[in-house]
Amino acid sequence: MLQVNFIRENFDQAVEGLQKRFFAEPKERLQKVLDLDKERKETQLQRDQLQAESNSISKQIGLLMREGKKDEAETIKKRTAEIKSQIKSLEEKYGEIEEALKQLLYTIPNVPHASVKAGKSADDNEVVLEHGEAPTLYEGKQAHWDLIKKHDIIDFELGNKITGAGFPIYKGKGARLQRALVNFFLDEATKHGYNEVQPPILINEESGYGTGQLPDKEGQMYHITHDDLFLIPTAEVPITNMYRDVMLKASNLPIKNTAFTPCFRREAGSWGAHVRGLNRLHQFDKVELVQITHPDKSYETLEDMSTYVQELLKKLGLQYRVLRLCGGDTGFTSALTYDMEVYSAAQEMWLEVSSVSNFETYQANRLKLRFKDDDKKTTLAHTLNGSALALPRIVAAILENNQTEKGIKMPEVLVPYLGFEWID
C-alpha cells in the first residue's frame, strides 16, 4: 500500500498518477488518508500528554507519601484514575482510526510510474517492440484445441469430468512437453543467478494481504473456508511473503528467487476464441521470478527481467511483442508492467504469456520488508516479479506455430528435455 508520507509529500503527483488509472475520486480519497493520519497523530499526542501527566502525578504521590502527607496523596490519586480512563478511551480511539486508515489504504492502488500513459483498457497499451515473423503454415492449419484432439495429448473433457471446465488433463507427449518446459525454464533461471525454491501452494490471509491479492482479488482466488486458506494465483505470493517482517542488509540485495508451481484462478470469461482451449484456465503451471532490490536499482532490474523473458521466447523460436501497460490495465499493486505476448499463427491473435512488474515499495510497505544501509538507515525495499513463463499459451503457440502436414516439430532447445523431436 502507499505510504502516508509519500501521499503527503507528493499529493499532486499521486492524484495525477491515480487519474491515469481512472481511479474514482483520487483527490478526495487521498485527502481522507491525510485527514485520518492527522486525527491519529492528534489522538496519539493527547494520549502521550496524559501519560506524561500521569507519570508526573505518580512521582508527586511518591514524594507526598515519603513526606507523610497521605491525605494530599489520596486526593491526587483521584486525578490518576481519571487520567487512566481517558488514556484507555484515547487508545481505543487510536486503534479505530488506525484500522480505518489501513482499510482505506488497502483500497487505493499503486501510483503508476511517470512513463505509464493514461488509459482505460488493454486497447490503450503501448507496443514497445516486436520481434520475429509469423510462420507460414500449410493450408490445413488448425488451432491448438483441434491439434490436441488430433494427437491425443490434452483432454479437456476428461478434466471436466473429474473437476470441471478449465482443468485439463495432459497426456503422453503433452505431459512431457509440460515437464520439459518447466525444467527448461527452471534451468535457465538458475543459470542466471536465481535461487530455486519450492513454496506452499496454499497461503493464509496475511500472506494475501501482504502482496496485495487481498482484498483486491479476493473473488478471483479459490478459498478453502474450513481452514481459511487460499490456493495461490501465482508463486509471487508465497515467495515474496518469505520476507514478510524481515529486516535485510543492503549487502543482501538483490535477492533473486524462482519457483515452479501450479496456479489457480477462478476468473473465467465468456466463451470465445480468446478464452477457448488453453487460452484461459482455472489451473495452470508457471515458473515465476521474484526479485527484492534496492530502490535505486529496481527499474534497471525491471528492464533486465524483461530482456530475460524475451530471450526465453527467442530460444523457443516464437514471435513476440512487448507492451507497456496503460494506467487502467496495470495491476492494482504495480507501478509499471510490461506484458509479453506471443503470436498464435493459427488463431491469428496475440496471447499474453508473461507480465513483468515493478511494485516499488507498495508490497514492501504491507510486508514491512525493509533493509538497513551502511548508515544504519532503515528503508523499504522494492519488489518485482515476472512470469518466466506461464505454460498454457506457450504450449498453444508452440503447437500452432510449429504444425506441419507431417506433425508438430518441437523447438530445438526442448528436444534434450523431451527425448523426441516430433508430436505425430
Side-chain angles (χ1 to χ4, degrees):
M1 57 190 172
L2 296 176
Q3 299 175 72
V4 176
N5 286 344
F6 171 82
I7 295 172
R8 184 184 302 108
E9 296 167 7
N10 304 275
F11 188 83
D12 292 340
Q13 174 190 338
V15 170
E16 183 181 349
L18 293 176
Q19 286 173 338
K20 291 182 179 181
R21 292 179 174 272
F22 290 84
F23 179 67
E25 300 181 333
K27 187 173 183 179
E28 292 79 3
R29 295 172 80 169
L30 292 179
Q31 185 59 53
K32 180 64 173 177
V33 168
L34 298 183
D35 292 343
L36 284 171
D37 183 56
K38 180 181 178 182
E39 187 180 1
R40 177 179 62 169
K41 288 180 177 179
E42 290 173 348
T43 304
Q44 180 65 50
L45 178 61
Q46 293 173 36
R47 188 261 180 210
D48 291 345
Q49 289 172 339
L50 285 172
Q51 186 62 59
E53 184 181 350
S54 177
N55 293 340
S56 176
I57 291 174
S58 295
K59 291 179 182 179
Q60 194 175 354
I61 290 172
L63 179 61
L64 290 171
M65 292 295 287
R66 287 193 296 274
E67 293 176 349
K69 300 177 181 179
K70 186 176 180 180
D71 291 342
E72 290 185 45
E74 289 299 325
T75 301
I76 295 175
K77 278 184 180 180
K78 294 178 182 179
R79 174 57 181 157
T80 302
E82 293 174 2
I83 290 174
K84 285 183 178 179
S85 176
Q86 290 175 319
I87 287 175
K88 182 179 178 182
S89 295
L90 287 169
E91 286 176 342
E92 290 175 354
K93 180 181 178 181
Y94 181 89
E96 291 170 359
I97 296 170
E98 191 167 48
E99 181 64 22
L101 176 58
K102 182 176 72 172
Q103 293 302 323
L104 176 58
L105 286 169
Y106 278 154
T107 68
I108 300 173
N110 204 351
V111 174
H113 186 263
S115 65
V116 174
K117 75 169 190 175
K120 290 186 176 182
S121 69
D123 294 335
D124 299 315
N125 293 336
E126 298 177 273
V127 178
V128 177
L129 66 87
E130 188 171 330
H131 174 84
E133 296 181 359
T136 302
L137 301 180
Y138 66 105
E139 188 174 341
K141 66 180 181 181
Q142 294 178 295
H144 71 271
W145 48 81
D146 293 320
L147 291 170
I148 61 178
K149 285 184 178 180
K150 176 181 178 181
H151 297 284
D152 193 26
I153 54 175
I154 302 175
D155 196 321
F156 278 91
E157 288 75 15
L158 191 54
N160 188 44
K161 169 188 172 182
I162 295 170
T163 307
F167 295 88
I169 288 180
Y170 297 81
K171 305 189 296 184
K173 289 186 175 181
R176 290 172 68 180
L177 177 56
Q178 286 279 108
R179 179 156 54 95
L181 283 165
V182 169
N183 289 338
F184 169 59
F185 293 150
L186 286 174
D187 285 350
E188 290 296 305
T190 54
K191 286 177 188 175
H192 285 78
Y194 287 88
N195 178 53
E196 184 178 349
V197 297
Q198 192 174 59
I201 62 172
L202 288 168
I203 57 163
N204 55 30
E205 186 177 68
E206 191 173 3
S207 293
Y209 274 95
T211 45
Q213 276 65 37
L214 294 176
D216 179 55
K217 294 181 173 61
E218 185 170 10
Q220 296 181 23
M221 292 197 292
Y222 285 94
H223 186 203
I224 301 172
T225 55
H226 182 76
D227 301 294
D228 196 20
L229 296 173
F230 297 84
L231 284 165
I232 62 170
T234 166
E236 164 207 342
V237 184
I239 297 176
T240 312
N241 271 279
M242 288 164 54
Y243 302 92
R244 176 161 31 99
D245 297 318
V246 171
M247 178 69 74
L248 300 167
K249 297 178 181 178
S251 58
N252 297 138
L253 304 177
I255 292 173
K256 303 169 66 174
N257 285 312
T258 185
F260 154 67
T261 65
C263 303
F264 303 87
R265 298 182 186 177
R266 295 182 63 203
E267 59 186 358
S270 59
W271 179 257
H274 65 293
V275 295
R276 194 174 178 187
L278 295 170
N279 289 354
R280 183 170 294 175
L281 302 175
H282 291 306
Q283 177 182 334
F284 60 95
D285 292 335
K286 181 154 67 85
V287 172
E288 192 77 358
L289 306 177
V290 175
Q291 288 207 41
I292 299 169
T293 71
H294 191 287
D296 294 343
K297 299 287 187 180
S298 67
Y299 278 97
E300 178 184 336
T301 299
L302 180 66
E303 297 300 325
D304 289 344
M305 292 176 73
S306 172
T307 299
Y308 170 79
V309 173
Q310 293 176 53
E311 288 302 316
L312 293 178
L313 297 174
K314 289 177 183 177
K315 289 178 180 179
L316 291 171
L318 294 172
Q319 180 190 12
Y320 70 85
R321 68 181 184 181
V322 180
L323 306 178
R324 179 164 48 231
L325 302 193
C326 69
D329 201 34
T330 299
F332 189 87
T333 55
S334 175
L336 176 59
T337 295
Y338 291 121
D339 269 6
M340 283 69 172
E341 298 181 336
V342 296
Y343 188 70
S344 170
Q347 297 179 66
E348 298 182 350
M349 61 186 290
W350 292 96
L351 303 174
E352 179 199 335
V353 294
S354 176
S355 286
V356 182
S357 301
N358 186 353
F359 306 105
E360 296 185 357
T361 61
Y362 194 90
Q363 289 182 332
N365 192 31
R366 291 187 177 209
L367 295 160
K368 294 182 174 60
L369 169 50
R370 299 156 294 169
F371 69 93
K372 285 189 176 181
D373 58 25
D374 296 336
D375 296 328
K376 305 298 181 184
K377 180 183 176 183
T378 299
T379 305
L380 287 171
H382 279 196
T383 61
L384 302 95
N385 85 278
S387 311
L389 288 157
L391 270 66
R393 295 170 186 171
I394 288 290
V395 169
I398 287 174
L399 296 178
E400 293 181 1
N401 293 8
N402 294 286
Q403 62 181 299
T404 69
E405 293 178 285
K406 174 183 174 182
I408 305 170
K409 182 81 164 60
M410 292 293 96
E412 186 176 342
V413 73
L414 294 182
V415 172
Y417 294 93
L418 289 165
F420 58 85
E421 295 183 22
W422 291 85
I423 294 178
D424 48 24

